[in-house]
Amino acid sequence: MWYFLAFYLRFLREKMGLSLTQCGEIMGVTRGTVSNFEAGRRRLQDDHARALDRHFGTGLYFNSCSGLPEWRMIPTGVSSSSSMSRKRR
């Protein structure tokens, strides 16, 4: 989900014709931070998400997604209990 959020941020920024710097000004961060958000290297904070929702008119989309927990990928065919038992060994 975090990578979709990063993709959607870049999609909206480019659709509106904003540079990384301009988008950073909206959120109160540097262009490098916006680049890191878009690449999925950093997670949006609540205040950044609210600023994006206000600017892009996305309701509470970014704000509701910014509080998502880290999702752990479990390989197909492996139950979470069997993956936990392997970690304990």
Side-chain angles (χ1 to χ4, degrees):
M1 184 65 178
W2 280 107
Y3 290 107
F4 178 76
L5 191 64
F7 168 81
Y8 194 56
L9 170 58
R10 182 174 182 175
F11 171 79
L12 287 176
R13 178 182 64 78
E14 290 179 346
K15 180 179 177 187
M16 299 290 194
L18 297 173
S19 68
L20 289 168
T21 302
Q22 290 168 320
C23 191
E25 289 171 358
I26 292 165
M27 291 188 281
V29 298
T30 66
R31 73 181 292 288
T33 301
V34 177
S35 177
N36 286 328
F37 288 149
E38 291 181 357
R41 291 184 294 263
R42 288 193 62 183
R43 308 286 192 237
L44 287 174
Q45 301 298 313
D46 291 341
D47 55 334
H48 304 140
R50 282 190 295 274
L52 290 172
D53 284 329
R54 274 194 306 272
H55 184 79
F56 292 130
T58 50
L60 294 174
Y61 180 78
F62 283 102
N63 194 41
S64 62
C65 292
S66 68
L68 292 174
E70 292 291 325
W71 289 356
R72 185 171 57 103
M73 295 300 292
I74 299 172
T76 305
V78 176
S79 71
S80 60
S81 61
S82 64
S83 65
M84 292 292 283
S85 63
R86 273 184 275 179
K87 289 182 181 180
R88 292 182 189 146
R89 291 180 189 173

